[in-house]
Amino acid sequence: KAEIQAGLRLAAKTSDTSASKVELVVVRENQDIDLKKALVAKIISATWAGMLCDGKPGVDASEAVEAALAMGKPMKATSKNLGVVDPAPFRLKHLCIQYQTAAVQEIPVDSDSFTVYQPESFRKLRAALRIDEGEFFGSMTRHELKGGDVQKSGKSGEIFWFTPDGKYVMKTCADPELQNLLSMLPEYTTYLGENKDTSMLTRYLGAYRLTFNDGKSIQFVVMNNVFQGGKPSRTYDLKGTTEDRWVDPASGGVMKDNNFNGYKVHIGDDLAPLFYAAVKSDTEFLEARGIM
């Protein structure tokens, strides 16, 4: 908690020094092309060649690399997978990828390092949602965070922290989740800015990584807390399926679909059309990006 809050305090005070740069990665034949799309702003070139990026002519494989990046899954570097002719039969080949990195801000925290992902983009998102910067960072740093445990009944294994005023939730997240969020951040910002009073999508308000001096790290996102510090008597996580969706109420954890069986939610005639429209719009936004 202390290291995270120290990093956030510095992030609030440090001017945005984030910048993109050009990187070169070389992938040997039959090795995975494992770029993280959240950290790639643009593929400049991708050449499939017989020698180790020595400047000799090769085959352009940019289109295949961009497709693999969009899928977010590793793909082995072979002529077949890249959809190109073999530039050097019976010889070891290499895929030389030059790309422009996405903007990140690196802040030293004692002997550790604190990374702010796409600081300017998230700042624009918070502004679109009318969130004051001082209030946002103050909420997370003014007093000791609560939590730091895996949620009861949760299966993701992620760790949650809560700001003392109940406004925000901080959750560790895996690479694929973070990459999806960062890759769609401009569209997400536009959508929430236009639908801030109706959308029921989670508000992801920042993304960070704390790297310790031993090389280990944790990355987390900051989200709005819909309960705003309130304590509901019962909470349900409804996913629309009945498979493995029961939690023993005595556990005190978040209950699931089968716990909700027999209950109904009544929405008045005045709100029902607005609710339906919001769900439809949010679902279409996610579906268009392959999330639902």
Side-chain angles (χ1 to χ4, degrees):
K1 294 180 184 179
E3 292 89 346
I4 288 174
Q5 289 186 294
L8 289 169
R9 288 189 189 98
L10 290 171
K13 297 177 182 178
T14 305
S15 59
D16 184 6
T17 56
S18 61
S20 62
K21 55 185 178 180
V22 175
E23 296 279 5
L24 174 68
V25 61
V26 179
V27 184
R28 290 183 60 181
E29 187 174 16
N30 290 317
Q31 287 187 335
D32 284 339
I33 306 168
D34 193 17
L35 294 177
K36 299 185 184 305
K37 66 178 179 180
L39 303 181
V40 178
K42 178 183 179 182
I43 297 293
I44 299 173
S45 65
T47 305
W48 183 231
M51 298 299 289
L52 185 57
C53 302
D54 59 359
K56 293 183 179 180
V59 179
D60 180 20
S62 301
E63 186 175 334
V65 171
E66 289 173 351
L69 194 64
M71 290 174 59
K73 296 180 180 179
M75 180 179 77
K76 292 193 180 298
T78 66
S79 295
K80 181 179 179 180
N81 287 344
L82 293 170
V84 297
V85 297
D86 190 335
F90 310 112
R91 293 171 55 193
L92 179 66
K93 287 162 281 293
H94 295 82
L95 179 63
C96 307
I97 305 171
Q98 193 175 39
Y99 66 94
Q100 182 179 348
T101 64
V104 297
Q105 184 179 17
E106 300 286 351
I107 303 173
V109 182
D110 295 328
S111 59
D112 304 324
S113 176
F114 193 75
T115 301
V116 184
Y117 290 106
Q118 300 192 24
E120 182 58 29
S121 296
F122 275 112
R123 190 175 294 115
K124 290 179 179 177
L125 172 59
R126 294 191 292 267
L129 296 175
R130 307 189 192 105
I131 296 175
D132 179 78
E133 289 292 290
E135 178 274 328
F136 175 70
F137 284 102
S139 181
M140 294 187 291
T141 61
R142 198 172 293 117
H143 302 289
E144 183 178 355
L145 296 172
K146 298 179 179 179
D149 303 307
V150 176
Q151 287 288 84
K152 293 180 180 178
S153 76
K155 288 189 174 182
S156 66
E158 305 296 359
I159 299 173
F160 289 77
W161 295 272
F162 301 86
T163 58
D165 59 11
K167 290 183 177 180
Y168 303 106
V169 179
M170 301 158 68
K171 184 192 78 166
T172 58
C173 63
D175 273 340
E177 180 184 352
L178 180 61
Q179 290 171 37
N180 280 334
L181 171 63
L182 297 182
S183 65
M184 61 183 269
L185 190 53
E187 300 160 287
Y188 176 75
T189 298
T190 299
Y191 180 79
L192 285 184
E194 295 173 348
N195 299 276
K196 55 179 156 287
D197 297 322
T198 57
S199 173
M200 289 182 282
L201 292 181
T202 299
R203 272 60 168 166
Y204 289 97
L205 304 172
Y208 309 91
R209 177 190 293 270
L210 176 64
T211 304
F212 301 99
N213 57 13
D214 62 0
K216 295 180 180 179
S217 66
I218 58 170
Q219 60 188 18
F220 61 96
V221 291
V222 179
M223 307 172 288
N224 67 314
N225 184 357
V226 295
F227 297 126
Q228 290 284 297
K231 294 183 178 181
S233 58
R234 287 179 292 177
T235 306
Y236 294 88
D237 174 21
L238 304 179
K239 296 188 180 298
T241 179
T242 57
E243 183 178 354
D244 193 24
R245 300 297 294 168
W246 168 265
V247 173
D248 182 357
S251 69
V254 175
M255 291 181 280
K256 301 183 179 180
D257 298 69
N258 288 333
N259 298 95
F260 194 74
N261 189 30
Y263 292 98
K264 293 182 179 180
V265 175
H266 296 275
I267 301 176
D269 292 341
D270 55 338
L271 292 179
L274 300 176
F275 177 81
Y276 175 79
V279 171
K280 184 175 184 292
S281 178
D282 288 348
T283 302
E284 289 173 347
F285 173 81
L286 296 174
E287 185 178 26
R289 287 147 189 85
I291 297 176
M292 294 185 69

